Amino acid sequence: MPATDDFTVTPYAVEGDIDYDRLLEQFGADALSPEQKARFPSPTHPLVRREVFYAERDVDPFLDAASEGTTHSIVTGRGPSGPMHIGHVFPFYFAKHLQDQTGALVYIPFSDDEKYFLKDNSLEEISDYTRENLLDLLAIGFDPERTRIVVDTADADVVYPLATAFAKEVTQSTVDATYGDPENIGLSFYPAVQATHLLLPQLVEGRHPTLVPIAVDQDPHVRVCRDIAAKQRYDVDKPGALLSKFLPSLEGPGKMSSSGDEASILLSDDRETVFEKIRTHAFSGGQTSIDEHRRRGGNPEIDVSYRLLYYFFEESDERLERLAREYRDGTLLSGELKDIAAEKIADFLDAHQERRESLDSLEAELEPYRLTADERRAARERAGFPANALIQQ
């Protein structure tokens, strides 16, 4: 588990000022090359061209399949332990972008069981968050013909048999070495469930390249799954991964959090709240006074408002470069930059909230995205469970 005196990055904890290059060395991943970035469908998403997605594992088979028009899939999930904020949602909008460009299958697992193992929330609280988070994911507008949403506890008829098969491939020593000493046996078992998530598209559709766009702290799940796939007991390829940096916390370095005392911008925040949070909490790279800022300029590299625009909320590279230049030379003030970022974020949230409010009931909206009986049966059979197993069809 990557933990140093300077920073800690695990699936369950992210702390400190993260050295992303050193993290690659510790995880054994590769930097995303200029050639690979150029192979993403045009127009290349800002998250790729600006190296927010900065590292990869076996991304080339996915890019080959996307360019050739053959079957390829994306898996990126959600752990429903609270309301969703803007840091949670950008991988899903990225997946939607690729689906629109390439026709990719998108699988979205909801790890409600893991969050119960990991958090102090009750099962009822986790269930409530799951319902609310699902509505936010449905508001993104994925193609229901090419998207499957799987909730671990609701889809246990397919998740548990597959996890049972994969659990036999993972030793406790591997879990301990990868994740540390688990707090309970649920977390010891959970890597098998994560492997189920990542291999499910292939178990439903047959062998094909899968890409997992995921925050870098979740890479251990990918590594364990790749080890399972490499044993070749199942007709699957090792999933590839696209690893992202963290959307910055409003307070500065580190990922944005929806728990604890740190402020974060929720998908449910209205315009007034967004402006208040940015103006009050967003860490500034400017000087302590207007006169000093006019004289010395600011540093956009550490300014959270600029970083939010850079990561996700400003499409135009030219405008970003202009904002950075004006901030450095002192003609753009910190308060003005905050308002620019707040306006962009509020516009994004207005559109998201409008789509969410137009949805019907969760049950009606979710139904087209659920695995069909035939897909459930195919996944179980490819994992080695016989067609006549005593499982509800």
Side-chain angles (χ1 to χ4, degrees), residues 33-45:
S33 71
E35 293 78 16
Q36 288 170 324
K37 287 194 294 182
R39 295 188 62 206
F40 277 83
S42 180
T44 308
H45 196 280

Side-chain angles (χ1 to χ4, degrees), residues 31-56 59-60 63 242 310:
L32 191 66
S33 71
E35 293 78 16
Q36 288 170 324
K37 287 194 294 182
R39 295 188 62 206
F40 277 83
S42 180
T44 308
H45 196 280
L47 290 169
V48 172
R49 69 174 187 262
R50 295 175 189 161
E51 298 183 352
V52 178
F53 281 112
Y54 81 113
E56 57 89 22
V59 73
D60 291 304
L63 295 173
L242 194 60
Y310 183 91

